[in-house]
Amino acid sequence: MSKRILGLDPGLAILGFGAIVCPENQPQVRDHKVSLLDFGVVSTPANTETGKRLCTLYDDLHTLIGEFKPELVAVEKLFFYRMSSTILVAQARGVVMLALAQHNLPYVEFTPAQIKQALTGYGNAEKYEVQQAVARELELDAIPKPDDAADALAVALTAWFQV
């Protein structure tokens, strides 16, 4: 048996996504490998009003959920940078939570430190170390680009490791 996990790195300008298929059993059993379904970003133009940008995220999330049919969604928890960007990210997260609720999808949330710990064994790891771990775990020749997509894959892998 396998499980589809959709990882999301919420943002208003860029929402990263990464979809994986993993064995139902815990990752410590290494006779089964994680498979990459797809990764990418949903982008919204900065010069567009916030409401329309949120609608784009909403519509594209429904498309992604329909395409990947995840059994579990993993979302990066809100991290506070500056108040102005935090509010916009919180609004994008609200759209994510709404879409997940409408599809009756279970979700888990992880802080950046939890993701770093799960992938590198060190909660204060550098972003590049996490990206290298994502590429290694998924047996990719290169680190996924853009960074938001790599972050979303890291969230999805963390869900597999932790759940």
Side-chain angles (χ1 to χ4, degrees):
M1 291 293 293
S2 62
K3 176 190 279 189
R4 289 174 178 247
I5 301 175
L6 176 62
L8 298 173
D9 179 23
L12 181 63
I14 300 173
L15 181 143
F17 69 88
I20 60 173
V21 177
C22 53
E24 289 275 352
N25 59 340
Q26 290 300 310
Q28 291 79 14
V29 180
R30 292 291 182 177
D31 55 343
H32 294 90
K33 294 184 180 172
V34 176
S35 300
L36 174 66
L37 287 175
D38 198 7
F39 63 89
V41 296
V42 174
S43 299
T44 65
N47 59 350
T48 304
E49 72 176 61
T50 302
K52 289 184 180 183
R53 294 172 82 180
L54 293 171
C55 284
T56 297
L57 294 178
Y58 177 83
D59 292 341
D60 288 359
L61 276 169
H62 281 286
T63 300
L64 291 171
I65 290 167
E67 180 179 341
F68 298 124
K69 298 174 181 40
E71 283 92 21
L72 178 66
V73 179
V75 183
E76 184 170 351
K77 280 188 179 178
L78 186 58
F79 182 75
F80 295 93
Y81 295 107
R82 298 179 312 274
M83 185 53 83
S84 61
S85 63
T86 299
I87 291 170
L88 295 175
V89 173
Q91 290 172 334
R93 281 182 46 82
V95 169
V96 167
M97 296 300 138
L98 173 62
L100 299 180
Q102 289 177 328
H103 286 272
N104 294 314
L105 283 170
Y107 67 91
V108 291
E109 297 179 276
F110 300 103
T111 64
Q114 288 174 309
I115 295 164
K116 291 173 181 182
Q117 179 71 37
L119 273 94
T120 69
Y122 179 58
N124 288 323
E126 296 295 323
K127 188 175 197 76
Y128 184 71
E129 293 173 285
V130 175
Q131 292 171 340
Q132 287 179 312
V134 167
R136 185 174 49 254
E137 195 64 44
L138 295 172
E139 297 182 349
L140 303 175
D141 293 332
I143 291 171
K145 295 290 181 195
D147 288 352
D148 304 273
D151 293 347
L153 286 169
V155 178
L157 288 167
T158 300
W160 180 51
F161 295 153
Q162 304 289 326
V163 177

